Amino acid sequence: MRGFLASSIGVSCAVLALPLAPPAAAAGPVAAAAVPGSTQSLPLAPLTGSRAPEAATERGLAPQTVRSFSLVGVVWDDPAARLHGHVRIRTRADGTGRWSGWQELEVRNEDHGPDPSTREGSSRRMRGATAPLWVGASDGVQVSVRADEAGSGETRAPRLPDGLHVELVDPGRAPGEDAPANPANPANPADPAGLAEEPDGPVTDAPDQAVGAGTDAETITSAVEAGLAPLNGLGIPGPWKGPEESRKPGRAAGKDTPTERTRQAYAAPRPRIVSRSGWGADESLREPDFLYTDTVKAAFVHHTATGNNYTCAQAPSVIRSIYRYHVVSSGWRDIGYNFLVDRCGTIYEGRAGGVEKPVQGAHTLGFNSDTTGIAVIGTYSSTAPTAAAVDAIARLTAWKLGLFGVDPRAKTYLESGGGNLYPKGENVRLNVISGHRDGFATECPGRLLYGELGLIRLKAARYQGR
């Protein structure tokens, strides 16, 4: 964040006006100043006020006014504990006094996260968590958490996990960014969900945008990792095929090997990617070092399950909120996904460490090694992803897998780190482009996004020239 601030704050100079000179006219609208994000963590209490054992099956928060927030989730102490029940929330739109209807949070969220055997997964900072939900700028909240009823042969309902808190995340504001809006009080009442922003077809590449002093690999990578790429800009331009250091370790640069010839023959141009500083990441939140695996053999496609009630202009705020929820609320080292894609097909850098490198993410429990995780912002169980988002995933996977000589239509073997589908150590054959549910029994990435994976594989192969 220090680099982020240093690159965005200029030196101000006081100019002495001549006596009796009239005041200067305003040159134009003043860009909004940066506002840091924050998290309110409120404990959930028995709703009945009773301390009897049955109170452990229902907890919540009475309606109350809070500081403004835009994303909500529920966390608990033990990351290994399952919440067998239902979590419902309702929120009040900031400044309007209008309450939303009840919305249910996805409680099966343990499948998104670091592998338990890793240093990140075994950290004492880790907590159990629901999926977060984007609600837009809100100033009131009510929460109800109810354990499932006792099943056949059971004497009582499951107890809720200890340490339940509701997390209210304010994403803050990057320089020049407008204040967050609430869908219940939209700036454009005729288009409350921002659907007018959705393009009818795939987004084509625009001219390259420079980063810092140059666009060579070393400059781009260091600018991104240090948080020095331009704010609110596209940050990482395309096309670009990656640095020499992304080649297989031990290979001499340019050596004419079969693997190298395959990479060169099927290298796809890099799509435009918004850097971390482009979406306003606070680099002081995450762990300072980076984690890498040996290679990238596959890509897992996800949805963020944060809902679809966001505009494309709000996507950076949504990402900042997810980032803060993953790190501050859930105890991860960084945002879990390697990349994110919004409904307009804009691609964003996720976990820090270099977009061309095999950065270990926390997206698919059991399969975070030698893979990359791509999350489409939204929920796609009953809502179809846009054509622009589908095309963006194809372009991104074509480039990223091409760096490592991988055919998007192929299958590969991955060693399971443990999960509810494959035990730890099992060698699993999966599609090179898989959905989260292929590695873990989960709804992610939603039925309708999962149904697009066949098309994505074919498009990605075409972008590689296959």
Side-chain angles (χ1 to χ4, degrees):
M1 186 64 178
R2 289 189 295 270
F4 163 80
L5 290 173
S7 64
S8 60
I9 300 177
V11 177
S12 61
C13 297
V15 179
L16 296 178
L18 293 174
L20 304 180
V30 178
V35 176
S38 63
T39 301
Q40 302 171 74
S41 185
L42 307 178
L44 302 184
L47 292 178
T48 60
S50 169
R51 295 184 178 273
E54 56 267 22
T57 66
E58 185 176 3
R59 303 181 78 85
L61 190 71
Q64 61 183 270
T65 298
V66 293
R67 298 195 312 272
S68 183
F69 67 98
S70 296
L71 181 136
V72 60
V74 168
V75 301
W76 53 92
D77 292 342
D78 184 359
R82 288 282 304 277
L83 195 162
H84 297 278
H86 297 269
V87 178
R88 299 192 309 153
I89 63 99
R90 55 193 295 258
T91 57
R92 187 178 63 203
D94 195 352
T96 70
R98 188 182 308 166
W99 284 88
S100 70
W102 285 101
Q103 301 181 78
E104 190 151 342
L105 302 185
E106 173 58 59
V107 298
R108 292 195 61 186
N109 193 50
E110 72 278 0
D111 47 327
H112 295 80
D115 295 339
S117 59
T118 63
R119 179 173 53 129
E120 180 179 8
S122 59
S123 168
R124 293 184 179 180
R125 296 180 58 244
M126 285 277 296
R127 291 202 281 180
T130 68
L133 181 69
W134 174 262
V135 294
S138 304
D139 62 6
V141 65
Q142 182 178 3
V143 184
S144 171
V145 182
R146 186 187 297 270
D148 290 335
E149 295 182 1
S152 176
E154 296 178 339
T155 58
R156 63 180 183 180
R159 291 175 61 90
L160 295 172
D162 294 332
L164 285 167
H165 283 69
V166 61
E167 303 287 292
L168 308 175
V169 180
D170 173 14
R173 189 165 65 239
E177 189 176 77
D178 291 335
N182 190 296
N185 186 30
N188 180 5
D191 181 33
L195 298 179
E197 297 186 58
E198 291 186 6
D200 294 328
V203 177
T204 56
D205 287 334
D208 295 350
Q209 178 173 336
V211 178
T215 57
D216 60 279
E218 182 177 354
T219 300
I220 291 172
T221 301
S222 62
V224 172
E225 292 178 355
L228 298 177
L231 287 168
N232 300 318
L234 290 172
I236 305 171
W240 178 63
K241 297 180 181 179
E244 295 295 328
E245 65 193 63
S246 69
R247 300 175 186 270
K248 191 172 182 178
R251 296 289 188 195
K255 188 172 181 179
D256 191 23
T257 64
T259 300
E260 202 55 54
R261 286 199 299 272
T262 299
R263 286 177 178 167
Q264 293 173 0
Y266 297 111
R270 184 171 69 184
R272 296 162 64 199
I273 302 172
V274 177
S275 68
R276 288 174 62 90
S277 60
W279 52 263
D282 180 349
E283 301 296 353
S284 68
L285 294 180
R286 65 171 174 83
E287 294 292 324
D289 57 337
F290 310 114
L291 296 180
Y292 300 98
T293 58
D294 293 333
T295 186
V296 174
K297 299 169 64 176
F300 281 99
V301 177
H302 305 258
H303 65 177
T304 60
T306 48
N308 303 311
N309 214 4
Y310 73 94
T311 68
C312 293
Q314 289 176 320
S317 295
V318 179
I319 297 172
R320 289 198 303 274
S321 297
I322 296 172
Y323 171 45
R324 179 172 279 274
Y325 186 73
H326 283 180
V327 177
V328 177
S329 301
S330 304
W332 303 359
R333 61 177 291 111
D334 195 348
I335 192 170
Y337 309 112
N338 296 101
F339 299 94
L340 297 99
V341 176
D342 70 19
R343 66 201 311 164
C344 288
T346 304
I347 301 169
Y348 302 84
E349 178 187 21
R351 181 161 286 208
V355 293
E356 82 293 344
K357 296 180 181 179
V359 178
Q360 184 175 45
H363 49 83
T364 306
L365 188 71
F367 293 100
N368 288 311
S369 293
D370 298 340
T371 66
T372 192
I374 302 166
V376 182
I377 302 171
T379 305
Y380 298 99
S381 302
S382 57
T383 299
T386 64
V390 169
D391 187 68
I393 299 170
R395 290 178 181 270
L396 177 59
T397 52
W399 166 72
K400 183 70 177 183
L401 295 172
L403 290 177
F404 299 88
V406 178
D407 184 344
R409 303 165 300 182
K411 292 182 181 290
T412 191
Y413 283 94
L414 297 171
E415 182 179 338
S416 172
N420 62 3
L421 281 181
Y422 304 103
K424 183 177 181 179
E426 180 173 345
N427 211 22
V428 183
R429 190 168 186 256
L430 295 170
N431 286 306
V432 161
I433 298 178
S434 286
H436 188 176
R437 64 175 64 182
D438 294 321
F440 198 98
T442 174
E443 290 297 315
C444 183
R447 178 177 59 88
L448 296 182
L449 177 54
Y450 186 79
E452 297 287 348
L453 295 188
L455 175 61
I456 289 170
R457 295 181 191 110
L458 293 176
K459 288 170 68 75
R462 287 201 297 269
Y463 287 134
Q464 284 189 354
R466 297 182 187 269

